[in-house]
Amino acid sequence: MAKIELQDWPAPLENGGETVLETMIANGVPFPYSCASGDCGACKGRLLCGEVAHDSAPEGILSAAERADGYVLACRCAPKGDIRIAALDELVALPPARRQRGWVVAQQRRRGDVIVLQIRPQQPVEFLAGQFFYLKFDNLPQRAYSVASLPGSEELEFHIRVVPDGKTSGYAARDDLLGSEAMVDGPHGHGYWRQNHDGPIVAIAGGTGLAPMLSIIGAALREDARRHIHLYYAAREEADVYWEAELQALVRQYPNLQVTCSLSRAQAPAQGPLPRRYERVTESLRQDWPDLADAKLYVAGPPRMVEAVAAVARELSLAPRDLHTDPFSDSVDHALDGALRTWVRRWLARWRRPPVALPQAATQES
Ligand code: FES
């Protein structure tokens, strides 16, 4: 048995060959993590002493330079002997997740095949801005959706993109949904707003990744209306911009809030109330932020976009502890791809190590 000493944790933990993250979870340590499969970087830590066997990880999530510097992903490594490790993020006990009934109290159709649902849970639920919930309708598979509401809200708001053959998203688009029952399970996830930070906030939302960013931005502005925040709303085309009027109203209310739409595939400049850029969001980030050293960066959207943003942010001097990601896919192909990748990685991990139960990774639709 190897021993894992975690900085700021009172007792060493015993490891029987499983990943560092699995040891943390099995011992009830509130070590930050999200995907448990090497795709988000939430479990990044620093090895202070000892050696680990580390599986491969996307360069954008854990770069070669970071690895050489001692950074590891707790979900992708296992100790080779006794180790000492530090979490990059705070060890915070998150609000407890629970499963309960809820009812659809509002439904709106938006551009870009997006359905906005409000669900009132049977009991008020405590959550942090930017977390996600699993929703289950009828006998359909449960899916993870980030919440757009502010903590303390009675209703939970979700932005759901309707995808071809998507069972859950197709159900969310039904005409007779008001009053329907849904099972709500949560909150989950570590892509939440960090309150103990005074610097600027840079929020990057890809598609319906806007939902958790609205929650984070709203909570941050509620606490300090003068906070400097720049939201990049990344979409492919004009028709994907589904929340413009509300963002415009926020910008009017809070002069320190900037919102930029970065459209990667738009053919011709179009007019809109919010400023447009006709480029990838990574280019917008580079142009506006030569140095991200004082900032907190929150990113939610497709895994490839999250990875690309993470790589650029590193070039712009963002410290690893200041990057908070929520990668997900709302397309059938991506969801299946992500689920398959996660399953294969977990199967390989189980094959070599004793099993420890991990929660399901967050994919939005299949
Ligand atoms: Fe380890 Fe996501 S990379 S939890």
Side-chain angles (χ1 to χ4, degrees), residues 98 100 121-126 152-154:
R98 64 188 166 120
Q100 60 173 316
Q122 193 164 26
Q123 298 289 328
V125 55
E126 186 191 350
S153 309
E154 280 189 10

Side-chain angles (χ1 to χ4, degrees), residues 69-135:
D69 232 5
Y71 290 100
V72 294
L73 297 180
C75 70
R76 304 290 290 151
C77 72
K80 285 186 173 175
D82 293 355
I83 64 167
R84 183 169 159 72
I85 190 170
L88 291 196
D89 208 350
E90 50 200 20
L91 298 177
V92 170
L94 301 180
R98 64 188 166 120
R99 190 174 173 81
Q100 60 173 316
R101 297 162 73 198
W103 289 271
V104 177
V105 294
Q107 180 196 36
Q108 285 177 18
R109 287 167 199 277
R110 294 289 179 125
R111 300 172 78 186
D113 287 330
V114 173
I115 302 293
V116 177
L117 282 191
Q118 288 190 1
I119 295 179
R120 180 175 298 151
Q122 193 164 26
Q123 298 289 328
V125 55
E126 186 191 350
F127 64 93
L128 302 178
Q131 288 194 289
F132 69 85
F133 287 78
Y134 291 106
L135 297 185

Side-chain angles (χ1 to χ4, degrees), residues 161 203-211 213 230-243 247 259-266 274-285 298-302 304-306 308-309 328 330:
R161 186 179 301 283
I204 298 187
T208 51
L210 183 62
M213 295 302 124
H230 197 147
L231 168 68
Y232 294 90
Y233 186 8
R236 290 180 181 173
E237 297 169 7
E238 195 60 40
D240 297 325
V241 181
Y242 70 89
W243 203 254
L247 287 173
V259 179
T260 301
C261 296
S262 297
L263 304 176
S264 61
R265 292 198 193 163
L274 296 172
R276 264 49 172 176
R277 302 266 190 86
Y278 299 92
E279 61 195 11
R280 289 183 186 278
V281 71
T282 43
E283 283 313 304
S284 306
L285 189 64
Y298 298 90
V299 196
R304 276 189 203 140
M305 185 204 82
V306 171
V309 167
F328 67 82
D330 55 12

Side-chain angles (χ1 to χ4, degrees), residues 21 31-44 57-58 61 72-76 190 325 327 345:
L21 179 63
F31 198 89
Y33 78 99
S34 181
C35 69
S37 59
D39 289 322
C40 71
C43 68
K44 198 176 285 182
I61 299 299
V72 294
L73 297 180
C75 70
R76 304 290 290 151
H190 282 77
T325 65
R345 282 179 180 170

Side-chain angles (χ1 to χ4, degrees), residues 154-166:
E154 280 189 10
E155 276 90 32
L156 303 175
E157 182 175 295
F158 302 98
H159 297 188
I160 300 174
R161 186 179 301 283
V162 182
V163 298
D165 300 324

